[in-house]
Amino acid sequence: MYVAAKGGEKAIRHAHALLAKRRRGKTNLPSITLQQIAGQLTLAVDRVMAEGSLYDTELAALAVKQARGDLIEAIFLIRAFRTTLPRFGATIPLDTAQMLVRRRVSATYKDLPGGQLLGPTFDYTHRLLDTSLGVERECSEVDDQASAADASRLPSEPVAMPRVTDLLGQEGLIEASPEDTGEEPFDITRAPVSFPVDRSTRLQTLARGDEGYLLALGYSTQRGYARSHPFVGEIRFGDVEVMFEAPELGFAVSLGRVQVTECQMVNQFKGSAEVPPQFTRGYGLVFGQCERKAMSMALVERALRWKELGEEPGAPAQDEEFVLSHCDNVQATGFVEHLKLPHYVDFQAELDLVRRMRAEHEAQMKEAAE
Amino acid sequence: MNAPLLATGTTSTTGAMPEIRYNFAYLDEQTKRMIRRAILKAIAIPGYQVPFAAREMPMPYGWGTGGVQVTAAVLGPDDVLKVIDQGADDTTNAVAIRGFFEKTARVATTTVTTQATVIQTRHRIPETALSENQILVYQVPIPEPLRFLEPRETETRQLHALAEYGLMHVKLYEDIARHGHIATTYAYPVEVAGRYVMDPSPIPKFDNPKMDDCPALQLFGAGREKRIYAIPPHTRVRSLDFEDHPFKVQRFAKPCALCAATGVYLDEVILDDRGGRMFVCSDTDYCNTRQAQGHVGELGVPGGGFPQNAVMPGRNSGIHDVPPSHPVQDVDPRVKPGDDGISGGTPPAGMTREGTI
Amino acid sequence: MSVQTLAAGFQDNVLESQSVFRAAMDAMARPGRVVPLVCALAPPAPLNAEAAALVLALCDYETPLWLDARLAAEPAVAEFLRFHTGAAIVAEPMAARFALVAEPLEMPEFSAFAPGTPDYPDASVTLILQVSGFAGAGWALQGPGIKGETRFGAAPLPHDFTARMAANRALFPLGVDLLLAGAGGVVGLPRSVTVREG
């Protein structure tokens, strides 16, 4: 038996038709292609892949297009697709020391093995609107220059570019990076999180967390709310090989390359009874080129480690349950926006209560006056 | 090239993108098993919130993802599904969720409560008594009854483990001290099978008594908060109260304006900007059924002129009362739908009729 | 044993898993009631079809599975279950989320299995006991899911079954949950149930 629903169904249908029309915009203009989005709105696509936690530029471009440029909506689309994918296992940890580096800067050393590599960055651009971009067909000079730069910068074999933290580590000046135990990391998409969390849960949650939220929290640590004296040891962006060890093969195979941004913050640590004074790490790793996010993540990650490092708690960015429970923008947007759903049953109950309390109040006032 | 993209994550690089196909009821089988295991444990430990790895659904968190996952895990091809939001089948979100299951599970759907085998609901329990062959799935935004008293999960988990519910009683008692009665009107906490204190989801407290000794299985899904809990059939569900301040439910001073039902939960509908309003059943199926049976309310039309799911009555209803100061009252929860209490004869002791529309 | 000679799993994994789960859910929600469980599985002996169906419907790589001595003595059983579910077969009962018992008379104490923790009472085992039938009405049951009182019988069950169930009930909200499978049906005995003799 099928019972046709009424009013609501028609309204929804019409709303969706309108949405499709608005998304398409003026039909006398060509529809934007996924190649254009993936090729020209790369940072939007990167953010969607990072917070959608799915590395697929074409699907991310599709999501950006379908979401009319609303990146949180695009992230949501990617997440809903991602959740239906089977999970085959965990890859071997990425070796970012072997990254094919496209950009690498360190704030702690003037020069270092591998050098500073500015790469494609907004840094040092003058933020002046460039009206020459307003034409449909841009000068091909840009292409030529860029590809020349790319070609000169991207050798087919990775050049040795040791991580700053590794250099510090040789002197024992910085805490050791946690050992790879070979254990499968906790998967926040496959098991419910309970507090307190381990490192893998913390990093995963932050890696898919909202960029704006982490930016604000990271910023707060710089303003005295969990101050940790950070230095950018290094930010690097480039291509890393993803290796997977299939149990039936017995050896690792390459699944391909992904682009990631890694940020290692170097923070002060006074030492303790067991540990001599040394630097500590805050770690950030994000799909694509998402420097702001990687840096913010590193700041917050470090702030969340207050307990193991024997620091004073109290700042918002140190509150693990608060920070990690609220950093997912798909969850946040859903729950905030659900307030626009009908609530008239509960409102009726509240309405009644307020009316009753007002009546009681009035009666009391009357009584008092008599 | 156009082979369906069955959750492989691969995409073509040129031309049309492959079609994406999803499993029966959207969720993959491993996810369903995980949810099903959580449901079994939830039933075994009535009222306890079982953590589960809620998946990201193609609808926003807070819009019923928990209920949808529970329904998807439970639903079979022979089920008949009813979806209500605020008691109504045609509210937009109910329509969207019903459409989701029609599309992904191709199950039969209905608006008739008695025909449904699975009812997914947001904020109401149907007025029609449920039967043993039915499953009621609640959408839950905040499953933790103690959450607004203690925001930390680490703390509330402890409190449940120790059955330490003093905090909740203090809160309710503070209400009484301040207002002379408990000021919680919906999501009113209950104690299940004498052990766990549970959030019944934001149903009006009017509906709480229906949970007690209910012949249907009641399942609760909170997607964003990743919790599933349950009340088995015929389980004692007690709304928290005090000996000197027993639990009471709302009771409306007037019957439904369309079907004349009493002892049911009503929505207030504003008819104009001069104080004109009417009260109609929030449960549209209940209201329509009564109208079809020939019950006519004050503003109804014989034969059911205003099927609630279609159109609301026009504006010239002719009633422009002053807003009622007190159209709803609290009564003993044993009053069941259809009982003719207030609008009929003498109001029960302690209740007044002032303020009726 | 090669994959070719393995007994088949569900014909239609999606729909059969669903109907077997629904039977298990109904059974758990209505303790003592024999819920029909129809399936066409022909698992290697001594595993019975009903218990096999429950495992196939509920277990996977996330649920360590324990087999009693009688089932463990037949490698084909573990082979069959591992192939169709991906579940790890564990030797330590305490590590199991599901435990499959072909010989209830010989089974270990309930206390050998995980009862959950005060914070997470759901982190407990579900025991699947193979029975040959649900005859008799030897026990009276009360608790959530039961209107008033209901009677129930099944065999074989441990000799000290009533005492075990009483001890299990006393642990509530911790405890183990039971599914009795066989003779075309399944019966649920969650930890919330009170079992009385006579």
Side-chain angles (χ1 to χ4, degrees):
Chain A
M1 127 220 49
Y2 176 84
V3 180
K6 297 148 204 152
E9 200 160 318
K10 197 171 161 195
I12 289 176
R13 219 171 35 241
H14 287 174
H16 292 173
L18 254 179
L19 173 72
K21 199 173 162 189
R22 285 293 167 88
R23 184 196 56 71
R24 178 57 183 89
K26 284 184 184 156
T27 49
N28 59 350
L29 294 173
S31 173
I32 197 169
T33 68
L34 300 191
Q35 286 75 15
Q36 286 171 328
I37 295 169
Q40 295 173 48
L41 299 180
T42 40
L43 299 185
V45 168
D46 282 356
R47 182 173 174 198
V48 171
M49 292 197 302
E51 292 171 35
S53 41
L54 182 73
Y55 197 92
D56 188 317
T57 46
E58 193 179 18
L59 285 182
L62 173 65
V64 170
K65 178 174 177 173
Q66 189 177 331
R68 302 174 63 193
D70 179 337
L71 294 190
I72 292 184
E73 182 68 24
I75 289 161
F76 186 3
L77 288 167
I78 288 297
R79 292 267 195 96
F81 173 72
R82 180 196 191 279
T83 197
T84 65
L85 300 177
R87 185 184 181 287
F88 296 115
T91 67
I92 293 171
L94 300 183
D95 185 358
T96 52
Q98 298 301 314
M99 179 187 280
L100 210 61
V101 174
R102 292 170 186 271
R103 165 167 165 77
R104 186 262 204 126
V105 290
S106 168
T108 51
Y109 294 103
K110 184 170 182 178
D111 201 5
L112 65 170
Q116 307 257 17
L117 178 56
L118 273 185
T121 178
F122 292 120
D123 296 352
Y124 318 115
T125 61
H126 298 144
R127 267 61 170 203
L128 303 170
L129 282 172
D130 180 359
T131 50
S132 75
L133 298 179
V135 294
E136 220 168 286
R137 183 119 201 109
E138 286 169 44
C139 175
S140 59
E141 263 171 52
V142 181
D143 285 352
D144 298 344
Q145 276 173 17
S147 50
D150 259 1
S152 67
R153 279 301 176 193
L154 276 183
S156 51
E157 292 297 309
V159 291
M161 210 179 263
R163 289 171 297 211
V164 169
T165 44
D166 295 343
L167 301 174
L168 280 168
Q170 287 166 6
E171 274 186 81
L173 290 173
I174 191 164
E175 60 171 338
S177 191
E179 285 289 313
D180 173 20
T181 58
E183 241 173 80
E184 259 207 29
F186 186 85
D187 184 345
I188 60 167
T189 69
R190 290 275 149 175
V193 171
S194 57
F195 295 99
V197 302
D198 66 3
R199 180 169 185 261
S200 67
T201 308
R202 177 172 71 228
L203 290 173
Q204 274 173 63
T205 310
L206 294 174
R208 58 163 26 197
D210 182 73
E211 178 177 315
Y213 174 85
L214 293 178
L215 174 65
L217 280 174
Y219 176 45
S220 75
T221 69
Q222 292 178 281
R223 293 194 64 259
Y225 293 88
R227 180 157 166 72
S228 60
H229 309 272
F231 296 95
V232 170
E234 178 178 328
I235 294 168
R236 56 171 62 196
F237 158 64
D239 304 34
V240 287
E241 193 117 54
V242 180
M243 303 294 287
F244 182 70
E245 201 167 319
E248 52 272 30
L249 287 179
F251 56 89
V253 291
S254 171
L255 301 180
R257 283 176 179 165
V258 296
Q259 294 197 335
V260 295
T261 306
E262 182 187 57
C263 173
Q264 300 232 35
M265 288 282 178
V266 175
N267 302 269
Q268 210 179 69
F269 175 53
K270 293 190 178 67
S272 66
E274 297 88 46
V275 186
Q278 62 178 355
F279 292 109
T280 54
R281 301 160 188 261
Y283 190 72
L285 185 82
V286 191
F287 278 156
Q289 188 176 10
C290 296
E291 233 161 272
R292 185 187 300 122
K293 165 76 178 281
M295 294 174 75
S296 304
M297 175 176 168
L299 289 172
V300 176
E301 204 265 332
R302 175 61 181 77
L304 288 172
R305 294 179 54 207
W306 64 271
K307 205 175 215 168
E308 68 177 278
L309 298 171
E311 293 168 344
E312 283 298 308
Q318 292 173 306
D319 187 330
E320 176 178 273
E321 195 170 335
F322 178 85
V323 170
L324 299 185
S325 301
H326 300 107
C327 74
D328 189 294
N329 54 25
V330 177
Q331 287 177 6
T333 199
F335 203 45
V336 166
E337 294 196 44
H338 108 284
L339 290 171
K340 65 193 167 191
L341 292 180
H343 280 81
Y344 34 77
V345 164
D346 293 344
F347 185 69
Q348 182 60 46
E350 291 290 271
L351 204 55
D352 160 50
L353 182 69
V354 172
R355 279 173 179 151
R356 182 205 320 255
M357 294 201 303
R358 284 173 62 88
E360 285 164 6
H361 179 75
E362 204 171 311
Q364 278 168 12
M365 297 307 272
K366 208 183 259 177
E367 219 170 87
E370 275 164 13
Chain B
M1 163 70 64
N2 281 326
L5 177 61
L6 183 59
T8 60
T10 56
T11 55
S12 66
T13 46
T14 54
M17 298 189 82
E19 189 193 344
I20 298 173
R21 281 200 202 144
Y22 300 102
N23 197 20
F24 177 82
Y26 186 77
L27 298 175
D28 61 278
E29 289 304 299
Q30 198 278 329
T31 298
K32 285 188 205 162
R33 272 192 302 272
M34 177 271 296
I35 295 170
R36 287 166 179 166
R37 290 192 296 259
I39 290 172
L40 292 184
K41 287 299 173 192
I43 293 170
I45 319 166
Y48 165 73
Q49 304 163 51
V50 180
F52 82 113
R55 302 295 194 242
E56 270 146 332
M57 299 299 287
M59 58 199 62
Y61 282 116
W63 298 49
T65 57
V68 165
Q69 287 178 82
V70 169
T71 298
V74 163
L75 213 57
D78 300 332
D79 277 310
V80 179
L81 177 70
K82 172 182 166 82
V83 183
I84 50 172
D85 187 338
Q86 314 295 302
D89 297 271
D90 84 326
T91 32
T92 40
N93 204 39
V95 169
I97 290 172
R98 186 169 52 236
F100 175 74
F101 284 113
E102 280 167 356
K103 199 153 74 185
T104 60
R106 292 183 298 279
V107 291
T109 60
T110 183
T111 59
V112 181
T113 303
T114 50
Q115 288 174 350
T117 57
V118 178
I119 302 172
Q120 179 167 329
T121 180
R122 177 168 171 264
H123 294 192
R124 274 312 311 276
I125 300 175
E127 306 290 3
T128 308
L130 299 178
S131 78
E132 176 172 292
N133 303 319
Q134 296 180 309
I135 301 166
L136 186 59
V137 178
Y138 296 75
Q139 301 172 201
V140 183
I142 301 281
E144 179 48 69
L146 306 168
R147 185 60 70 233
F148 297 108
L149 307 171
E150 170 50 65
R152 276 173 208 285
E153 171 69 17
T154 36
E155 297 288 328
T156 52
R157 188 156 286 280
Q158 274 287 306
L159 296 173
H160 283 294
L162 301 167
E164 175 49 70
Y165 297 119
L167 209 57
M168 182 63 89
H169 283 100
V170 167
K171 191 262 167 198
L172 295 176
Y173 207 83
E174 275 172 0
D175 274 4
I176 294 170
R178 233 178 112 197
H179 311 294
H181 48 76
I182 293 170
T184 300
T185 57
Y186 61 92
Y188 190 104
V190 294
E191 178 200 83
V192 180
R195 175 56 175 81
Y196 284 99
V197 166
M198 190 197 90
D199 181 284
S201 89
I203 56 171
K205 66 176 181 175
F206 176 88
D207 283 338
N208 275 22
K210 297 176 187 165
M211 310 177 93
D212 181 38
D213 195 30
C214 177
L217 170 63
Q218 302 174 72
L219 300 174
F220 299 77
R224 193 178 35 77
E225 300 281 340
K226 301 180 168 51
R227 296 290 184 270
I228 286 173
Y229 51 103
I231 304 175
H234 301 297
T235 297
R236 176 85 178 104
V237 179
R238 187 178 71 81
S239 302
L240 299 186
D241 63 356
F242 300 93
E243 225 160 76
D244 48 342
H245 286 274
F247 174 75
K248 288 178 176 173
V249 297
Q250 299 102 329
R251 180 156 175 81
F252 291 79
K254 280 211 133 188
C256 168
L258 298 179
C259 76
T262 58
V264 296
Y265 198 80
L266 303 177
D267 283 338
E268 183 169 341
V269 179
I270 309 245
L271 297 167
D272 53 38
D273 57 3
R274 288 163 292 160
R277 66 196 65 220
M278 66 172 184
F279 287 81
V280 296
C281 286
S282 126
D283 183 335
T284 48
D285 172 60
Y286 186 79
C287 195
N288 292 344
T289 305
R290 278 182 56 85
Q291 290 179 70
Q293 288 165 348
H295 297 281
V296 186
E298 198 177 30
L299 298 174
V301 171
F306 299 125
Q308 270 214 45
N309 275 351
V311 260
M312 280 313 215
R315 286 166 163 258
N316 58 345
S317 59
I319 53 159
H320 299 116
D321 283 356
V322 274
S325 65
H326 194 179
V328 192
Q329 311 186 0
D330 278 356
V331 295
D332 189 295
R334 284 166 300 187
V335 178
K336 295 287 187 225
D339 283 6
D340 218 22
I342 288 184
S343 56
T346 323
M351 274 185 261
T352 66
R353 298 186 61 177
E354 53 176 282
T356 53
I357 314 173
Chain C
M1 170 152 207
S2 72
V3 166
Q4 280 73 29
T5 59
L6 262 178
F10 290 133
Q11 300 249 304
D12 184 328
N13 185 33
V14 171
L15 298 184
E16 285 178 72
S17 294
Q18 189 273 339
S19 76
V20 171
F21 159 70
R22 273 289 273 274
M25 183 178 82
D26 284 353
M28 208 54 112
R30 294 179 168 83
R33 179 182 294 189
V34 183
V35 179
L37 196 159
V38 187
C39 70
L41 291 179
L47 182 59
N48 77 22
E50 293 81 3
L54 288 171
V55 175
L56 263 55
L58 296 172
C59 294
D60 53 37
Y61 68 89
E62 290 187 335
T63 54
L65 177 64
W66 180 87
L67 304 179
D68 77 348
R70 208 169 146 212
L71 290 167
E74 294 295 332
V77 170
E79 198 78 25
F80 171 82
L81 294 173
R82 215 174 304 161
F83 178 79
H84 288 296
T85 67
I89 312 285
V90 294
E92 176 52 48
M94 197 51 86
R97 278 307 169 94
F98 282 83
L100 199 42
V101 176
E103 193 48 86
L105 289 167
E106 306 290 327
M107 74 177 292
E109 293 298 319
F110 287 177
S111 58
F113 299 94
T117 65
D119 280 7
Y120 296 95
D122 58 302
S124 57
V125 77
T126 301
L127 303 173
I128 300 173
L129 273 54
Q130 292 192 175
V131 293
S132 53
F134 299 104
W139 290 282
L141 307 181
Q142 286 186 331
I146 301 166
K147 188 162 184 64
E149 185 173 284
T150 191
R151 302 199 67 82
F152 137 90
L157 287 175
H159 298 301
D160 57 346
F161 182 68
T162 317
R164 283 182 183 229
M165 292 304 286
N168 193 48
R169 180 66 186 80
L171 289 177
F172 191 88
L174 308 195
V176 302
D177 306 305
L178 279 67
L179 288 170
L180 313 185
V186 55
V187 165
L189 294 173
R191 66 193 73 182
S192 59
V193 76
T194 302
V195 179
R196 248 182 341 98
E197 224 151 322

